[in-house]
Amino acid sequence: MNGPHDLGGQQGFGPIAPERNEPVFHAEWEKRALGITLSCGAFGAWTLDESRHARECLPPATYLSASYYEIWTRALEQLLKRHDFVTQAELDAGRSLYRGREPKNVLKAEMVAGVLARGGPCDRPVGTPPRFAVGERVRTKNFNPETHTRLPRYARARAGVVEAVQGSFVFPDDNAHGKGENPQWVYTVVFDGPEIWGEGGDPTLTVSIDAWESYLERA
Amino acid sequence: MSEHRHGNGPEHDHPHDNHFTDMEARVKALESLLTEKGLIDPAAIDAIVETYENKVGPRNGARVVARAWADASFAEWLRRDATAAIASLGFTGRQGEHMRAVFNTPETHNLVVCTLCSCYPWAVLGLPPVWYKAPSYRSRAVIDPRGVLAEFGLDLAADKKVRVWDSTAELRYLVVPERPDGTEGISEEALADLVTRDSMIGTGLALSPGAVR
């Protein structure tokens, strides 16, 4: 979707503000927000793609004025309600008022090291060979779905070159919406700066994205 | 000074709602609720925080880069199959499941961003800094990378190519900076001290030996 998250190439956000010797967390609540989010991910009730979509569905004014862990927390509340683990009344009260859904897994302390070390690989085999080859010229599609996609706006309807076939991976555009993993080949596609940014684009710049096969057509 | 008490006695003369920011209150309420419902284990949260505060951080990536500098066959493995090469040093797991290493050269400087969210190679760099997740970096890295780099104090030569990698899928990128001059014959451990977090994102370069305390 063309949400507030799709920031590539937008202007007006001002300078970067690197912080010298930045701490891992800036507040205690950030630690808890990270841990709660990962713990709830372990329920197995939603996918990483669905949680990304929940974040990008936040209203633009909220998304752009929130710190990152605030974005996570607000999106997590939506997911917990959507999947019947909690109600809004419970979130408001901060206590249990209702017997909601039981999760498949509850992450316990002794499981943390193993779960983090395993991660969640999302490469999956597909039955067909890659449609595009390294060195081939391709064009990204022009679409504007209201649903989740990982083709950023700045890289739509642009011609580039396939630099690598990266393997086959879960397709987020479907997986975010409970339509299954439907894996596809993923390609690193390289664009010249001026192809994306047009007149005045830096000629020494190249930008690449990792694009699922259905985002691409032959140029 | 006596301990501040939160009883209901007469010494309690300030309003409660000044104690927490909105997010502190929101996250506390969420943790209490989920704990009461048996959905989360606060000790698991402690363990997650402990992992990313103390065990997983940019030192992991620095060891990968130092090994690549010191051992050409490891560098070749890293180039060909970064996931396996990095796993051989013990760095695996969440947000490092599928790794790719990109090498700076005299001709090309690499810069990594996630314009769509905050994708970052946790397994080798730990959790991302605030600026990496902020709109200013995510918006500008792909359109004005030289301007971004200048704000990090890195002025690239005009003829140096800039290659920006937008992490739009599940691949996580590690920039291997160029090995600094004057580092011949120093140990891999000492080489790792020259590798900064920013140099592995591409917003910095590796340090010169003289720049390390």
Side-chain angles (χ1 to χ4, degrees), chain A residues 6 15 29-30 36 44 64 75 88 96 139-141 150-151 165 167 201:
Chain A
D6 189 353
W29 72 265
E30 294 188 338
I36 294 167
L64 291 171
Q88 184 61 50
S96 179
R139 179 173 292 277
T140 51
K141 287 187 182 165
R150 295 291 287 183
L151 181 59
V165 183

Side-chain angles (χ1 to χ4, degrees), chain A residues 64-84:
Chain A
L64 291 171
S65 60
S67 74
Y68 211 81
Y69 289 117
E70 179 177 347
I71 292 171
W72 277 28
T73 302
R74 287 176 177 274
L76 177 62
E77 290 169 352
Q78 298 300 321
L79 291 168
L80 288 166
K81 286 190 288 180
R82 181 187 301 168
H83 290 274
D84 198 31

Side-chain angles (χ1 to χ4, degrees), chain A residues 32 77 120 154 166 210, chain B residues 26 46 97 100 166 168 173:
Chain A
R32 308 317 284 178
E77 290 169 352
Y154 74 81
Q166 297 289 5
D210 292 321
Chain B
R26 193 168 191 139
D46 296 339
E97 294 92 344
R100 182 156 175 205
D166 191 356
T168 54
Y173 290 91

Side-chain angles (χ1 to χ4, degrees), chain A residues 6 16 33 40 46 50 57 59 65 73 76 95 101 123 126 140 154 163 171 182 184-185 191 205 219:
Chain A
D6 189 353
I16 318 295
C40 293
W46 55 79
E50 185 178 345
C57 284
S65 60
T73 302
L76 177 62
R95 61 192 175 87
R101 182 169 158 198
D123 52 336
V126 295
T140 51
Y154 74 81
E163 184 184 72
F171 184 48
N182 306 330
Q184 295 185 7
W185 292 100
F191 307 93
L205 168 65

Side-chain angles (χ1 to χ4, degrees), chain A residues 5 9 16 22 32 52 63 77 85 90 96 109 116-117 120 122 150 154 163 166 197 204 206 208 210, chain B residues 26 31 36-37 46 93-94 97-98 100 115 130 138-139 142 146 151 162-164 166 168 170 173:
Chain A
H5 67 294
I16 318 295
E22 181 176 337
R32 308 317 284 178
R52 286 190 183 130
Y63 185 97
E77 290 169 352
F85 291 106
E90 289 180 310
S96 179
L116 294 181
C122 47
R150 295 291 287 183
Y154 74 81
E163 184 184 72
Q166 297 289 5
W197 307 116
T204 68
T206 52
S208 65
D210 292 321
Chain B
R26 193 168 191 139
E31 183 170 349
E36 187 188 347
K37 298 190 90 162
D46 296 339
R94 198 175 169 98
E97 294 92 344
H98 310 287
R100 182 156 175 205
T115 62
V130 167
R138 288 163 53 195
S139 61
V142 285
R146 283 176 191 276
E151 284 165 26
V162 183
R163 169 68 188 270
V164 180
D166 191 356
T168 54
E170 301 304 339
Y173 290 91

